[in-house]
Amino acid sequence: MSTPADAHEIALAAQRLLAGELVAFPTETVYGLGADAENPAAVARIYAAKGRPSNHPVIVHIAPEGDVGYWAAEVPAEARALMQAFWPGPLTLILKRAPHIGDTVSGGQDSIGLRCPSHPVAQALLRAFAAAMPNGQGGVAAPSANTFGHVSPTQAEHVRNEFPREVAEGMPVLEGGAAEVGIESTILDLSRLAQGVGPVLLRPGHVSAAQIEAVLGVPVGRPDAAAPRASGTLKAHYAPRTPLELVEAAQLGEAVAARAPQGRLAVVAFGAPTQAFDRVDWVQVPADPARYAQSLYARLRELDREGYARILVQAPPTDSAWDAVNDRIGRAAAAFTLDTTDLPGT
């Protein structure tokens, strides 16, 4: 088992943030690639390292003691209620951005995504960084620590493999073990409440729409044309290098038989194979959505290293408990079915 980053390593990482440099750190969802949220040049380094379009916003992470009102122009009662229920934790709230906060973190929009992670290493880093700021209000802008559109990292080693040049140049990668949740945070838009637009779920995650509705007492809407842009919501995202195809359970055997002659296959399925296939490796996965999500990205990275011609993934169930998993798998598969004009980074 890996040893979590100690106080000395965290203090050095905080100093790197203060100097405008990048730091990779664990959260309960995935590992993040962080920079001082109020330093436009530092945030630009995130975009450059990832190859991320500059109009694609990043999430600002704050410590449990951080003042949301410093970052947001207004903090509605709905946001306070959700923070009380789910922070620290895997829920990002989109609010109106405070005028003194630059728009680098929001991709030029008038909103800002805020989250308070629950991972102890992330919290220690955020506290150390904030304590060194003159006003005590340090925030770390941090998308997932992977190149844009690729599978998110859930272990420190994934980050080191993804950014060897940055690591060689001194970028700290704080160790925090395997991510507990394994997929990115839920993103909820509350930035348009004053306009009469209720809460809108921009990205499903570990905190479900039903849980949010139970706190707010109102339905959660789906994204509309006027919804703010948010992290991880492009049609194609979270993709391995190996072509990935999503297949319904009833068509799985037929799809394997058709694809096997084209090269070595990996099949990710809930049950055992009903017949033997040459050059096909069958990977059984848990039928529990939380356990599936926790291991999803690590599994895709492992399969990517094995030189398969294609990965076939059995489509998960369609009930609401699987919304977050279906979102990630659907976007990963879309990277290999959409026109190139729809692909990440194009």
Side-chain angles (χ1 to χ4, degrees):
M1 298 227 6
S2 55
T3 302
D6 59 26
H8 177 67
E9 292 170 315
I10 290 167
L12 290 177
Q15 290 299 315
R16 295 278 297 192
L17 291 173
L18 287 166
E21 301 296 334
L22 299 181
V23 171
F25 64 99
T27 78
E28 72 279 17
T29 57
V30 298
Y31 277 67
L33 184 66
D36 179 357
E38 293 188 86
N39 183 334
V43 175
R45 289 190 175 93
I46 297 176
Y47 285 94
K50 285 177 62 72
R52 185 186 183 94
S54 61
N55 68 346
H56 204 54
V58 293
I59 294 168
V60 176
H61 296 67
I62 61 175
E65 303 81 15
D67 180 10
V68 176
Y70 175 78
W71 302 93
E74 54 184 328
V75 186
E78 291 88 343
R80 298 284 184 193
L82 291 169
M83 289 157 52
Q84 179 67 32
F86 301 115
W87 279 18
L91 174 66
T92 295
L93 299 177
I94 307 295
L95 303 172
K96 285 295 183 186
R97 177 171 47 82
H100 67 275
I101 302 298
D103 65 1
T104 312
V105 294
S106 59
Q109 302 176 111
D110 65 354
S111 56
I112 188 170
L114 296 169
R115 182 164 101 81
C116 176
S118 63
H119 196 290
V121 173
Q123 290 192 2
L125 175 65
L126 292 167
R127 284 173 168 142
F129 177 58
M133 298 293 280
N135 58 8
Q137 295 298 331
V140 175
S144 54
N146 53 276
T147 53
F148 190 64
H150 191 215
V151 179
S152 297
T154 56
Q155 300 171 21
E157 191 60 26
H158 296 164
V159 183
R160 297 186 189 101
N161 292 337
E162 197 90 358
F163 295 106
R165 185 182 68 181
E166 287 77 6
V167 171
E169 292 173 351
M171 182 182 77
V173 180
L174 297 181
E175 181 63 66
E180 179 182 359
V181 174
I183 57 174
E184 302 79 3
S185 63
T186 303
I187 301 181
L188 185 75
D189 177 32
L190 296 176
S191 67
R192 298 178 291 164
L193 296 179
Q195 303 169 32
V197 179
V200 173
L201 185 68
L202 301 182
R203 181 175 71 185
H206 188 71
V207 177
S208 69
Q211 289 175 297
I212 293 169
E213 290 170 350
V215 171
L216 298 182
V218 296
V220 171
R222 296 295 176 182
D224 57 281
R229 297 185 302 279
S231 297
T233 54
L234 296 181
K235 291 179 181 178
H237 219 77
Y238 314 115
R241 312 295 187 197
T242 308
L244 184 149
E245 183 177 348
L246 195 58
V247 183
E248 295 296 330
Q251 282 78 50
L252 191 58
E254 180 182 341
V256 173
R259 300 288 185 269
Q262 301 170 10
R264 186 163 161 250
L265 297 181
V267 180
V268 178
F270 292 102
T274 56
Q275 64 183 96
F277 294 98
D278 291 333
R279 299 196 302 168
V280 176
D281 293 329
W282 205 273
V283 181
Q284 282 192 250
V285 290
D288 173 77
R291 289 175 57 211
Y292 190 110
Q294 185 181 46
S295 60
L296 172 61
Y297 290 153
R299 181 178 297 111
L300 290 180
R301 283 178 174 270
E302 289 169 4
L303 295 177
D304 238 357
R305 293 195 298 267
E306 295 300 319
Y308 292 105
R310 184 175 294 266
I311 301 170
L312 300 185
V313 178
Q314 180 182 341
T318 56
D319 58 272
S320 60
W322 289 86
D323 281 352
V325 167
N326 276 309
D327 176 82
R328 305 313 192 271
I329 288 290
R331 295 180 195 276
F336 303 99
T337 58
L338 293 175
D339 291 338
T340 55
T341 53
D342 292 320
L343 292 178
T346 60

